[in-house]
Amino acid sequence: MKSARVPVPLLVPAVLGLVFLILPLVGLLARTPWATLFDRLGDPGVVTALRLSLLTSTLATVLCLVLGVPLAWLLARVTFPGRRLVRALITVPLVLPPVVGGIALLLALGRRGLVGQWLDATFGITLPFTTAAVVIAESFVALPFLVIAVEGALRGADSRYEEAAATLGSKRWTTFTHVTLPLVAPGIAAGAVLCWARALGEFGATITFAGNYPGVTQTMPLAVYQTMESGDLEGAVVLSLILLVVSVAILAGLRDRWLTAP
Amino acid sequence: MADSPVTLLDARLVVRRGEFRLDIGLRIEPGETVALLGPNGAGKTTALRALAGLAPLQDGHLVLDGRDISELPPEERPIGVVFQDYLLFPHLSARDNVAFGPRRHGMDRRSAHAVADRWLERVGLAEHGRRKPRNLSGGQAQRVALARALAVDPVLLLLDEPLAALDARTRLETRGELRRHLAAHPGATLLVTHDPLDALVLADRLVIVEEGRVVQEGDAATITARPRTDYVARLVGLNLYRGRGDGHSVAIADGLALTSTDTVEGDAFVAFPPSAVALHPHRPEGSPRNTWAAVLADVQRHGDNLRVRLDGPISVAADITPAAAAQLHLEPGRELWVAVKAAETRAYRA
Amino acid sequence: MRFAVAAGLTAGMALAGCGGGKAGEPMASGSAVTGTITVFAAASLTESFTTIGRRFEVAHPGTTVTFNFAGSSALATQINEGAPADVFAAASPKNMQAVTDAGTPATFVKNQLVIVVAKGNPKGVAGLAGLTRPDLKVALCAEAVPCGAAARTAIEASGVKVTPVTLEQDVKAALSKVKLGEVDAALVYRTDAKASAADVDAVEFPESAKAINDYPIVVLKTAKNPAGARAFVDYVLSSEAATVLTGAGFQAP
């Protein structure tokens, strides 16, 4: 880049913004008990929570892909009455505090919830306090990220390729799988990464809807919180650091492959 | 040709889009290539989309090979399309692009690839099957697009400005090759273009569309000799006027009549090429016919000559040599005398 | 004695410019304390302290009592990390000890665990042993918070093995899971059960006597409003407050 003069009114807030984002991470590193770090890493509680976090956020991403890509396609390619309303509804979990999302999930899928009641009575399935509930809570908050990213990719993709496929005898479903999906694959990948990152960091909806029990529903963010609560600040810092390192490592790994900005 | 007993495509296409209304009739016979020629916004591409099923017909009919296909979705129409910028699937190799259609028509992978290889060979790209579209040159991509459209054995082949995306040199080569493939295609072919040269070289018959309507139709010789609208006249490089014929004379403006060797009565067109126009600094002696005073509007280079536009009782284009121009002191606003040779002036019924 | 200390400190406060009461109000108006008093209190004190705070404000015009109710361990961590608290009331001495800047705490009430179940006790829970049934979903507090520690003590004392489905971050969260019907039973304080008597039933169990929580309260050394804090703690220890607390189901220390 050429060393053009950057106007001060832009430079100062920009630098402040950067410091604002980086300072807390520096704080975390500054308080890290490096001496005992490796002992704590091997702690079975840490391993359990980390494994559960990686498992649930990956499953949540898969669920979001299965539900979110068709939903994004519908929004991007089909004109139907109330489409704007549907799009607005999809973005609600983005602005909703996750705890509220958790309560809403309880009222819908909990043992006494609208659907949960029926699930319990008919199949004997109760979702709260299960690993499935963690996946559901994470999917609930992460799905909008995926839908918005994929819808954007679909809108950006040239729909005339789909017309070309139709003139070659391709039915809509085949066109979707053989033409549309490959065309928007980078957008889907970006959406999935965002979705996964959001699911990994999920706290409020999870603790409210899925509860907190080690090995079943206690993901890393919950473990961090509980460790902090119990006064073990050092432990909380170690757990936070692990979560930070794992997420940054995975995002950086994917970034080279999928998320290279144009 | 119009009386031929077999008509493969018989269509009247009526499509409304906002203020715009397309309403054209089209008939194409087996093996025939028809060019739909017209200025931008005339409705050519809309007509092509309606035929392919990508735009709904509001009225009219669409019969292909004796079957009404107007209600069929695009994927069920026996139609192949070469799109303007080809729309080769970027994630598939050239071979898979060509095999895409046969696969969708139920062919297994191996047979579809065999079909694709055969077509790639026919368009001279047997060696390039593995390449992705981004690694193909413009001309190669055009040929892959043609192979892809033909690989489904379409009854009707549609081409939307097939050469517009190519540079001048490639266009020349590809045009000749495309002509060969279109001649070999047993079905009907409709070519949409705004380039008269493409139309003249590639098509057996021209259908000229302006503002959603067919304004003229016929073979190349008829249309170039006897244009019926300003657009067509400009396309073929003629001065064209409409007036009333009375024997050898056609009255076209206040007190101005042009004399031709042809004879015509009543509503008539009169046309002559810019090269038939001579310019004089003073009223020419001798032949008083087909001369009038005009004012120079603008001069442009045109090949080795200069094309001069003149205003006056009628607006006219004249081609003169640089030597002649040097003697005339051409500058806008200058008054000149125009003389048109009667022997090069065509007059015909409107 | 109390007034003398308070007056001296209030003067200092006024110098520091953080008096929250009506400016220029003469101190001789009967209330020697002013300003905002920030109280960090265990979640189980929510209802009774809210009432006490309101009455304190009436008795001491010019004061505002603000509360932060949460699990005692969370509060202790927050205080250690520098949260601006004047008074800390914990649900167990252990959490009080965790606070490095606590003064000398005084125990103001005791609390005891009960089993809360849905109204009418549909699952017929009778005692701690009943919680071992596999068809029963049980919520406990996390061990870091006093109700969790007490639950553990009680369960160990009873010799039964209770496997909860969740470890909640404070007693109110455990209670709300019963209210929502997501769990069939939870171990919470008698006071919490009483506060929610409209929604849940309480089942007493003998082992709870082995896990009685002492509630300590203290003026923090880091208090910004030590006079107000002192006054509030004194009020909590007064007989007026005791009426409120015992009414809520607490036992006198």
Side-chain angles (χ1 to χ4, degrees):
Chain A
M1 197 191 89
K2 277 185 184 169
S3 59
R5 275 181 66 92
V6 182
V8 172
L10 288 179
L11 185 64
V12 171
V15 170
L16 281 177
L18 190 65
V19 169
F20 174 64
L21 286 177
I22 290 176
L23 198 61
L25 302 182
V26 173
L28 195 63
L29 291 173
R31 287 287 282 270
T32 303
W34 300 103
T36 56
L37 184 61
F38 286 95
D39 292 342
R40 287 194 178 259
L41 288 184
D43 184 60
V46 173
V47 176
T48 305
L50 184 60
R51 200 169 48 205
L52 185 70
S53 264
L54 294 177
L55 174 75
T56 53
S57 53
T58 306
L59 288 176
T61 306
V62 171
L63 182 65
C64 286
L65 282 170
V66 170
L67 302 178
V69 172
L71 185 53
W73 180 85
L74 203 68
L75 287 174
R77 287 284 189 271
V78 183
T79 319
F80 56 91
R83 182 164 67 161
R84 288 163 62 101
L85 180 70
V86 171
R87 190 178 292 119
L89 285 176
I90 284 170
T91 51
V92 165
L94 278 182
V95 292
L96 201 66
V99 179
V100 177
I103 293 171
L105 282 171
L106 273 180
L107 298 179
L109 299 174
R111 201 157 62 157
R112 299 282 158 78
L114 286 176
V115 178
Q117 209 167 13
W118 172 80
L119 278 179
D120 190 13
T122 315
F123 303 105
I125 297 173
T126 53
L127 288 169
F129 315 117
T130 62
T131 305
V134 179
V135 175
I136 289 171
E138 290 178 348
S139 301
F140 180 76
V141 295
L143 185 57
F145 286 86
L146 185 95
V147 173
I148 287 171
V150 176
E151 196 204 339
L154 281 168
R155 287 188 177 280
D158 193 340
S159 64
R160 293 180 311 149
Y161 284 108
E162 293 165 8
E163 294 184 346
T167 67
L168 292 167
S170 184
K171 302 218 181 305
R172 262 190 146 176
W173 169 248
T174 320
T175 302
F176 177 73
T177 55
H178 285 62
V179 176
T180 314
L181 276 187
L183 281 178
V184 299
I188 293 176
V193 168
L194 267 178
C195 176
W196 182 84
R198 180 67 190 86
L200 186 71
E202 216 306 300
F203 173 77
T206 309
I207 200 165
T208 314
F209 178 57
N212 171 45
Y213 198 76
V216 183
T217 61
Q218 191 184 73
T219 55
M220 282 297 274
L222 271 62
V224 171
Y225 181 68
Q226 169 144 330
T227 311
M228 178 87 179
E229 289 272 86
S230 65
D232 182 5
L233 184 62
E234 201 175 85
V237 169
V238 171
L239 286 169
S240 304
L241 194 70
I242 293 169
L243 199 53
L244 184 71
V245 168
V246 168
S247 45
V248 166
I250 290 176
L251 288 180
L254 290 170
R255 192 187 169 83
D256 291 340
R257 197 174 294 265
W258 295 110
L259 300 181
T260 320
Chain B
M1 88 200 158
D3 300 321
S4 169
V6 212
T7 297
L8 210 47
L9 172 73
D10 175 11
R12 178 169 164 248
L13 308 172
V14 180
V15 180
R16 253 182 304 272
R17 247 193 6 233
E19 292 290 288
F20 180 78
R21 181 184 151 94
L22 174 82
D23 185 351
I24 62 168
L26 276 176
R27 293 165 75 88
I28 310 180
E29 280 142 49
E32 191 187 24
T33 298
V34 169
L36 202 58
L37 186 65
N40 286 332
K44 306 184 301 281
T45 298
T46 305
L48 181 140
R49 291 176 60 81
L51 287 169
L54 300 172
L57 279 188
Q58 260 104 41
D59 202 354
H61 60 269
L62 177 46
V63 177
L64 187 61
D65 205 6
R67 195 155 65 106
D68 179 1
I69 60 162
S70 56
E71 296 296 316
L72 291 182
E75 62 266 25
E76 288 173 27
R77 298 188 181 192
I79 290 177
V81 186
V82 176
F83 291 90
Q84 180 167 0
D85 31 14
Y86 317 137
L87 299 177
L88 295 178
F89 304 128
H91 59 288
L92 297 181
S93 66
R95 187 190 198 209
D96 286 333
N97 263 284
V98 180
F100 187 91
R103 284 284 283 148
R104 302 290 87 76
H105 284 83
M107 213 177 269
D108 64 64
R109 185 185 297 268
R110 184 191 293 261
S111 314
H113 275 150
V115 168
D117 289 341
R118 211 154 52 236
W119 274 105
L120 286 174
E121 192 167 350
R122 280 176 77 168
V123 299
L125 291 173
E127 307 296 309
H128 297 74
R130 285 171 175 277
R131 290 205 188 170
K132 289 282 173 63
R134 65 172 170 278
N135 297 323
L136 295 171
S137 72
Q140 290 168 341
Q142 198 276 344
R143 280 140 74 192
V144 173
L146 179 68
R148 185 176 72 170
L150 287 171
V152 292
D153 290 325
V155 177
L156 173 64
L157 176 66
L158 302 172
L159 302 105
D160 190 3
E161 305 277 4
L163 304 169
L166 302 176
D167 60 70
R169 234 193 77 149
T170 320
R171 188 183 301 189
L172 194 69
E173 292 165 9
T174 313
R175 190 185 287 128
E177 209 184 314
L178 182 58
R179 182 186 157 75
R180 208 160 44 74
H181 291 299
L182 295 189
H185 176 52
T189 303
L190 182 77
L191 165 79
V192 159
T193 183
H194 71 277
D195 182 342
L197 193 54
D198 287 351
L200 294 176
V201 172
L202 298 171
D204 304 311
R205 194 154 56 83
L206 277 57
V207 173
I208 302 194
V209 194
E210 285 180 58
E211 290 172 353
R213 313 227 153 228
V214 174
V215 293
Q216 192 168 0
E217 187 163 2
D219 59 30
T222 312
I223 285 180
T224 46
R226 304 186 156 195
R228 300 182 79 83
T229 70
D230 278 343
Y231 166 72
V232 183
R234 261 197 326 274
L235 274 185
V236 298
L238 291 177
N239 289 299
L240 176 74
Y241 309 96
R242 193 164 184 167
R244 288 206 72 77
D246 180 14
H248 288 296
S249 169
V250 180
I252 54 171
D254 253 0
L256 179 63
L258 290 180
T259 305
S260 159
T261 48
D262 302 329
T263 319
V264 67
E265 299 292 338
D267 196 6
F269 285 114
V270 52
F272 54 87
S275 58
V277 181
L279 299 181
H280 305 277
H282 308 291
R283 187 182 186 114
E285 309 285 317
S287 164
R289 289 185 308 178
N290 289 1
T291 60
W292 67 91
V295 176
L296 190 145
D298 138 82
V299 185
Q300 276 174 359
R301 186 160 275 290
H302 187 77
D304 289 338
N305 292 329
L306 297 174
R307 174 157 291 182
V308 182
R309 298 213 157 268
L310 301 120
D311 292 332
I314 55 171
S315 177
V316 66
D319 283 356
I320 59 169
T321 61
Q327 294 179 338
L328 287 169
H329 306 294
L330 297 178
E331 53 199 36
R334 178 165 159 76
E335 196 159 297
L336 291 164
W337 281 84
V338 176
V340 181
K341 293 182 191 116
E344 290 186 43
T345 303
R346 295 267 83 79
Y348 47 94
R349 284 194 62 87
Chain C
M1 175 202 88
R2 181 171 120 201
F3 279 112
V5 172
L9 284 165
T10 310
M13 246 179 50
L15 279 174
C18 50
K22 283 175 194 155
E25 192 107 333
M27 277 204 253
S29 72
S31 170
V33 288
T34 53
T36 300
I37 304 154
T38 306
V39 178
F40 280 29
S44 48
L45 292 167
T46 307
E47 295 83 6
S48 43
F49 262 38
T50 304
T51 308
I52 288 170
R54 221 163 24 233
R55 292 195 185 169
F56 178 84
E57 285 169 358
V58 172
H60 300 81
T63 59
T64 309
V65 184
T66 59
F67 289 106
N68 176 14
F69 294 112
S72 298
S73 59
L75 294 173
T77 309
Q78 287 171 18
I79 292 166
N80 283 341
E81 287 300 306
D86 297 312
V87 174
F88 180 34
S92 91
K94 175 171 165 274
N95 300 110
M96 185 57 79
Q97 281 153 24
V99 175
T100 40
D101 291 321
T104 315
T107 299
F108 62 102
V109 281
K110 287 177 187 294
N111 209 350
Q112 203 166 339
L113 291 179
V114 293
I115 301 169
V116 280
V117 292
K119 201 80 190 147
N121 196 357
K123 300 265 178 168
V125 175
L128 265 193
L131 298 184
T132 56
R133 271 160 48 191
D135 64 319
L136 224 54
K137 287 188 196 302
V138 180
L140 298 181
C141 294
E143 272 174 40
V145 287
C147 65
R152 184 190 172 133
T153 311
I155 289 167
E156 276 175 0
S158 72
V160 297
K161 190 175 177 332
V162 177
T163 309
V165 293
T166 182
L167 301 172
E168 295 296 321
Q169 296 307 314
D170 65 44
V171 66
K172 295 295 182 197
L175 179 67
S176 72
K177 291 290 194 283
V178 178
K179 285 192 195 173
L180 281 165
E182 295 302 338
V183 297
D184 302 302
L187 289 191
V188 302
Y189 296 117
R190 181 184 285 154
T191 50
D192 299 302
K194 195 158 182 178
S196 296
D199 303 310
V200 294
D201 281 351
V203 178
E204 299 275 351
F205 62 100
E207 296 87 344
S208 71
K210 305 212 169 69
I212 292 173
N213 275 42
D214 288 341
Y215 279 53
I217 188 167
V218 77
V219 175
L220 294 163
K221 285 178 185 164
T222 51
K224 292 261 177 7
N225 186 359
R230 186 72 253 159
F232 182 78
V233 169
D234 288 342
Y235 186 79
V236 168
L237 295 168
S238 72
S239 55
E240 293 121 284
T243 316
V244 176
L245 290 163
T246 48
F250 286 104
Q251 294 148 280

